[in-house]
Amino acid sequence: MQNDFIYLDHAATTPVSESVLSAMMPYFSEKFFNPSAPYFPALQVRREYEEAKNEIAKSIGAKSDELVMTAGATESINLAFSVLANFAEESNEILIASFEHHSVLEAAKKYGKIKFINVKRNGEIDLEDLKNKISSNTKLVSVMLANNETGVIQPITKIAEIIKKEQSQRVAKGDFTPIFFHSDASQGIGQLDVSVGRLGVDMLTINAGKIYGPKQTGLLWASRNIELLPQIVGGGQERGLRSGTENVPSVIGFARAITIAQKHRKKEVARLKELKDISVSILKNNFTDDELIFIGNHKKQLNSHLSISFPGIDAERIIFSLEAKGVLIATGSACAANKGTRSKTLLSMGLTDKEADGSLRISMGKLNNPENIHRAINILAEEVNKEMERIGLRSHK
Amino acid sequence: MQNDFIYLDHAATTPVSESVLSAMMPYFSEKFFNPSAPYFPALQVRREYEEAKNEIAKSIGAKSDELVMTAGATESINLAFSVLANFAEESNEILIASFEHHSVLEAAKKYGKIKFINVKRNGEIDLEDLKNKISSNTKLVSVMLANNETGVIQPITKIAEIIKKEQSQRVAKGDFTPIFFHSDASQGIGQLDVSVGRLGVDMLTINAGKIYGPKQTGLLWASRNIELLPQIVGGGQERGLRSGTENVPSVIGFARAITIAQKHRKKEVARLKELKDISVSILKNNFTDDELIFIGNHKKQLNSHLSISFPGIDAERIIFSLEAKGVLIATGSACAANKGTRSKTLLSMGLTDKEADGSLRISMGKLNNPENIHRAINILAEEVNKEMERIGLRSHK
């Protein structure tokens, strides 16, 4: 199947890599024991599960007992926001970037009043707007590490500084109400240095399903002072924060995936850069600056992501014609809530409806190489050219 | 590894069967697409995911759109109890069997006042006690289909009748407050006919990890009139009731597992019966009625389960000595919350501390056959005999 198409939607999900799958395999049918059972083979599984958590923790500069393994990023985000359950809902003010994923938006709605941090045309959140909107009622700020649509890397350490400043001002006034900083790092792991200490966050969400690990496998890292309210209660697994028999194969796979991602990070970033350069060069050769917009600050963008727009073109049509030629690509993020709506991310950046409607997200990864990127982007250029001619945006060359 | 030991703890978890694993495999690395993505291979994955849900639904006599796929039974139970979020907490009275799993107990605590339904010495819940305790404030009754420790099958249809009667009495008084009936069927699928219509439940929890399917894979079936409060919000998957990218391989595996379980049900039940008969006969040959108690109504017990007690013996010691001889067995249910405590189930049945301390749960399944059961139970008898001699309960024969 992998030979029949060129996949340009790695940001939606990635295949489980061979190495990850082979790490997982023994835990389905051989080392299948319930890690809470009392006999040695089960204790051995428990040990290997804990070792996997340790390995994951190390890769983000954290301790294993600060991790809660979850069934995916969405559950992790929901759990992160539960920190607000310690406060009265009417006193909770939550600041999130306008482009946050539905999971952040919906989780925030449960706990308080949401204020949206503006996003600049270059795809970064507006730090001045954050400074203006942060208030003595702000309890939680959530900004993703890199945007899932544009790939623009967010100024996380600068946000952390602003939050710390607000916190000190509160303390100076004798107000010890905490303010927490959460970041969804689902995009970016494997390309960025995601050390929780350096980032300055209090909570971090990671998703195995975007780094060649298994789906519905994620985690929440939370610093020790954070009091979470367990969302799924029962047998007391994960230090009582997430009950349910542990998903041993998935966590083993997650550890392998994140270890590989970190180990090959620099090489992979350089490789993706090459693929992106090829793409940009083909596109620039085919379209004028009026016809094609490159979206987002390319100096602060994941090399996996190329966000572009052909204003006036209906990108949905392009997706279908590309698919007919074996190129798989999407407009925005793939989730049930986004069906038939314009990209929130792009509109928040101030793009016009026309620009948003003409936008495509190319997200590259391990299924790509210079040869298939060259082919795919040439097909893309051809299809857009045809469409431009069809609708009279351009006359036949 | 499977040849090195005899596994007698199928109730704690089961290995993923070869057939299930081979059904799952293509969905890790080949059909890996996000089911919400717009291109054909992703739509195909969506279709296969929905077909799997259909297959699962059919196997319990339900419709696919009444299922919410969850990351395991614990999450399913937590979601089931969310039906109580529609009512004021102080008005919520919840009736659960004294032997319910921690996940039911903890989920119940979140939503109201718990009343425990007594359990009879034979391991069945006391229907008279239920009739006495059910009141006009009762909103939810939760009783597991078959007890995880004793294997005793509960009188689910009779409970449903009692609940329906209470409901009609309310309606006659002009009180339209509903009363819901939930059952955790994690134990029993594969041996019992689990048709939601026939059972008369409103909500049913099923766990793939106990029927040779993948771990952390479960579902909640809820009849159409039930309004659940989503516990994990975000992208709106599972009709908005459980957000997060679908766990495609796991749900495909779940479908295969439940289909096999249903198809081979009668044959497997007969096979387990044979294994149980062998076990009982060996045990009866080795121990007197004073030395060995068979726990639970054996006429209403899963054939997989054999719950026994050697009063005066420390069962933990037996477990260790059995393990040294390659026999893996447990005392009670395997979960973090049970460590170092006496079995709630057995105490609720009125067993003495001594009887509870001497208890073992033998749970048989696909890893067993007449030969290895013969061997294992003989080893068990030998080890208990030795221990009885050691502590002076019996003189050397």
Side-chain angles (χ1 to χ4, degrees):
Chain A
M1 203 171 179
Q2 288 184 22
N3 298 320
D4 300 345
F5 59 83
I6 304 172
Y7 187 65
L8 297 180
D9 201 17
H10 288 78
T13 192
T14 50
V16 175
S17 77
E18 245 177 72
S19 166
V20 168
L21 193 54
S22 70
M24 293 169 69
M25 286 303 281
Y27 296 87
F28 287 113
S29 311
E30 194 185 326
K31 304 181 180 186
F32 66 86
F33 306 98
N34 188 320
S36 296
Y39 29 79
F40 179 76
L43 300 178
Q44 184 63 25
V45 168
R46 160 70 56 204
R47 195 170 306 139
E48 286 161 19
Y49 178 82
E50 296 301 340
E51 274 166 19
K53 277 185 73 173
N54 256 321
E55 204 177 320
I56 296 168
K58 258 191 214 158
S59 77
I60 57 166
K63 293 264 186 289
S64 168
D65 65 357
E66 298 161 347
L67 304 186
V68 184
M69 305 312 296
T70 61
T74 298
E75 188 193 327
S76 164
I77 290 164
N78 277 258
L79 182 59
F81 274 71
S82 79
V83 73
L84 295 172
N86 300 307
F87 305 94
E89 193 178 328
E90 53 280 11
S91 78
N92 286 335
E93 206 174 78
I94 304 158
L95 285 179
I96 69 175
S98 311
F99 55 45
E100 289 301 315
H101 191 273
H102 280 275
S103 46
V104 166
L105 179 63
E106 297 300 323
K109 280 183 190 168
K110 292 205 286 191
Y111 292 106
K113 195 184 148 206
I114 303 169
K115 278 190 190 171
F116 293 99
I117 311 164
N118 291 342
V119 178
K120 296 189 291 187
R121 173 83 195 192
N122 72 2
E124 285 179 59
I125 70 146
D126 184 343
L127 292 170
E128 289 309 311
D129 190 56
L130 169 63
K131 282 181 199 164
N132 290 334
K133 285 178 180 160
I134 204 166
S135 84
S136 59
N137 283 326
T138 308
K139 299 283 193 318
L140 179 61
V141 177
S142 183
V143 176
M144 57 175 87
L145 177 61
N147 183 272
N148 52 328
E149 291 184 49
T150 63
V152 173
I153 301 156
Q154 301 303 314
I156 299 295
T157 54
K158 285 181 186 158
I159 299 169
E161 280 166 29
I162 293 168
I163 292 170
K164 279 201 179 66
K165 203 175 151 196
E166 164 65 20
Q167 185 80 77
S168 336
Q169 283 171 355
R170 281 187 200 175
V171 171
K173 286 182 209 152
D175 175 2
F176 296 95
T177 314
I179 172 168
F180 304 106
F181 182 22
H182 168 257
S183 181
D184 176 4
S186 295
Q187 307 279 337
I189 290 257
Q191 293 180 68
L192 301 173
D193 171 16
V194 182
S195 153
V196 290
R198 272 193 288 279
L199 288 174
V201 294
D202 300 300
M203 293 185 280
L204 194 79
T205 289
I206 308 179
N207 188 349
K210 312 267 190 200
I211 52 168
Y212 311 95
K215 280 189 184 49
Q216 243 185 58
T217 306
L219 67 82
L220 178 67
W221 169 81
S223 77
R224 267 167 230 271
N225 60 319
I226 303 270
E227 266 181 70
L228 300 166
L229 180 75
Q231 304 292 288
I232 298 172
V233 294
Q237 289 88 347
E238 303 293 320
R239 293 175 294 126
L241 293 169
R242 204 292 184 189
S243 291
T245 303
E246 293 86 348
N247 198 342
V248 182
S250 286
V251 171
I252 298 283
F254 193 174
R256 176 68 65 95
I258 203 165
T259 303
I260 295 172
Q262 299 290 48
K263 194 174 160 194
H264 301 297
R265 187 158 63 88
K266 285 186 184 158
K267 228 167 108 185
E268 182 63 6
V269 166
R271 200 182 71 84
L272 290 169
K273 171 95 172 51
E274 189 197 342
L275 300 181
K276 193 167 178 169
D277 287 346
I278 293 171
S279 307
V280 169
S281 142
I282 295 170
L283 290 168
K284 286 197 167 165
N285 280 339
N286 276 274
F287 302 98
T288 67
D289 291 353
D290 291 336
E291 290 169 334
L292 166 66
I293 299 170
F294 289 92
I295 301 168
N297 184 348
H298 72 275
K299 284 181 189 158
K300 292 185 181 169
Q301 199 170 30
L302 297 176
N303 284 323
S304 52
H305 281 61
L306 184 57
S307 178
I308 54 177
S309 171
F310 301 96
I313 292 287
D314 177 1
E316 300 275 357
R317 285 186 71 102
I318 299 297
I319 285 179
F320 288 120
S321 60
L322 284 176
E323 192 190 317
K325 307 235 159 163
V327 178
L328 305 184
I329 190 171
T331 46
S333 89
C335 90
N338 287 330
K339 294 272 182 278
T341 59
R342 279 201 184 97
S343 160
K344 210 170 47 163
T345 296
L346 302 185
L347 297 182
S348 76
M349 290 165 62
L351 269 71
T352 63
D353 288 356
K354 211 169 145 183
E355 288 168 335
D357 290 344
S359 72
L360 291 167
R361 169 179 75 174
I362 297 165
S363 59
M364 296 170 293
K366 288 197 184 168
L367 296 184
N368 301 130
N369 54 48
E371 190 275 319
N372 73 20
I373 282 296
H374 201 271
R375 192 145 48 94
I377 305 300
N378 272 309
I379 295 172
L380 166 63
E382 208 174 290
E383 292 305 312
V384 174
N385 262 319
K386 268 198 255 171
E387 180 65 7
M388 284 178 165
E389 285 168 21
R390 192 186 70 83
I391 62 173
L393 270 183
R394 174 193 270 188
S395 56
H396 195 72
K397 274 189 193 173
Chain B
M1 202 172 179
Q2 288 184 22
N3 299 319
D4 300 346
F5 60 83
I6 304 173
Y7 186 65
L8 297 180
D9 201 17
H10 288 78
T13 192
T14 50
V16 175
S17 76
E18 244 177 71
S19 166
V20 167
L21 193 54
S22 71
M24 292 168 70
M25 287 303 282
Y27 296 87
F28 288 112
S29 311
E30 193 186 325
K31 302 181 179 187
F32 66 86
F33 305 97
N34 188 321
S36 297
Y39 29 79
F40 179 75
L43 300 177
Q44 184 63 26
V45 168
R46 159 71 57 204
R47 196 169 306 139
E48 286 160 20
Y49 178 83
E50 296 299 342
E51 274 166 19
K53 277 184 72 173
N54 258 321
E55 204 176 320
I56 296 168
K58 258 191 214 159
S59 76
I60 57 166
K63 293 263 187 288
S64 169
D65 64 356
E66 297 161 347
L67 304 185
V68 184
M69 305 313 296
T70 61
T74 298
E75 188 192 328
S76 164
I77 290 164
N78 276 258
L79 183 59
F81 275 71
S82 79
V83 73
L84 296 172
N86 300 308
F87 305 94
E89 193 178 327
E90 52 282 9
S91 78
N92 285 336
E93 206 173 76
I94 304 159
L95 284 180
I96 69 175
S98 311
F99 56 45
E100 288 301 314
H101 191 273
H102 280 275
S103 46
V104 165
L105 179 63
E106 296 300 323
K109 280 183 189 166
K110 292 204 287 190
Y111 292 107
K113 195 184 149 207
I114 303 169
K115 279 190 191 171
F116 293 98
I117 310 164
N118 291 343
V119 178
K120 296 189 291 186
R121 173 83 195 195
N122 72 2
E124 284 180 59
I125 70 148
D126 183 343
L127 292 170
E128 289 310 310
D129 191 55
L130 169 62
K131 282 180 198 163
N132 291 333
K133 285 180 180 158
I134 204 164
S135 83
S136 59
N137 283 326
T138 308
K139 300 281 194 318
L140 179 62
V141 178
S142 183
V143 176
M144 57 173 89
L145 177 60
N147 183 272
N148 52 327
E149 290 184 49
T150 63
V152 174
I153 301 156
Q154 301 302 314
I156 299 295
T157 54
K158 285 180 186 156
I159 299 169
E161 280 166 29
I162 294 168
I163 293 169
K164 279 201 179 65
K165 201 176 152 199
E166 164 64 21
Q167 184 81 76
S168 333
Q169 283 170 354
R170 281 189 201 175
V171 171
K173 286 182 208 152
D175 176 1
F176 295 95
T177 315
I179 172 167
F180 303 107
F181 182 22
H182 168 256
S183 181
D184 175 4
S186 294
Q187 305 280 337
I189 290 255
Q191 293 180 68
L192 303 173
D193 171 17
V194 183
S195 154
V196 291
R198 273 193 287 279
L199 288 173
V201 294
D202 299 300
M203 293 185 280
L204 193 79
T205 289
I206 307 180
N207 187 350
K210 313 266 190 200
I211 51 168
Y212 311 95
K215 280 189 184 50
Q216 243 185 58
T217 305
L219 67 81
L220 177 68
W221 169 81
S223 76
R224 266 165 230 270
N225 60 320
I226 303 269
E227 267 182 69
L228 300 166
L229 180 75
Q231 305 291 289
I232 299 173
V233 295
Q237 289 89 347
E238 302 294 319
R239 293 174 296 127
L241 293 169
R242 205 291 183 189
S243 291
T245 302
E246 294 85 349
N247 198 343
V248 182
S250 286
V251 171
I252 297 284
F254 192 174
R256 176 68 64 94
I258 203 165
T259 302
I260 295 173
Q262 298 289 50
K263 195 176 160 193
H264 301 299
R265 188 158 62 86
K266 285 185 186 161
K267 228 167 109 184
E268 182 64 4
V269 166
R271 200 182 72 83
L272 291 169
K273 170 93 171 54
E274 189 197 341
L275 301 182
K276 193 167 177 170
D277 288 345
I278 293 171
S279 307
V280 170
S281 142
I282 295 170
L283 290 168
K284 285 197 168 166
N285 279 338
N286 276 273
F287 303 98
T288 66
D289 290 354
D290 289 337
E291 290 169 333
L292 166 65
I293 299 170
F294 288 92
I295 300 167
N297 184 348
H298 72 276
K299 285 183 188 158
K300 292 186 182 168
Q301 199 171 31
L302 297 176
N303 285 322
S304 52
H305 281 61
L306 184 57
S307 179
I308 53 177
S309 171
F310 301 96
I313 291 287
D314 177 1
E316 299 276 356
R317 284 186 71 103
I318 299 296
I319 286 178
F320 288 120
S321 61
L322 284 176
E323 191 190 319
K325 307 234 158 162
V327 178
L328 304 184
I329 193 171
T331 44
S333 90
C335 91
N338 287 330
K339 293 274 182 274
T341 60
R342 280 202 182 96
S343 160
K344 210 170 48 163
T345 296
L346 301 185
L347 297 183
S348 76
M349 290 165 63
L351 269 71
T352 62
D353 288 357
K354 213 170 144 184
E355 288 167 335
D357 290 344
S359 72
L360 290 168
R361 171 178 76 175
I362 297 165
S363 58
M364 295 171 291
K366 288 197 185 171
L367 295 185
N368 301 130
N369 54 48
E371 190 276 319
N372 73 20
I373 283 296
H374 200 272
R375 191 144 49 95
I377 305 301
N378 272 309
I379 294 172
L380 167 64
E382 207 174 291
E383 292 305 313
V384 174
N385 263 319
K386 268 197 257 172
E387 180 66 6
M388 283 179 166
E389 284 168 24
R390 193 186 71 83
I391 63 172
L393 271 182
R394 173 192 271 188
S395 56
H396 195 71
K397 276 187 194 173

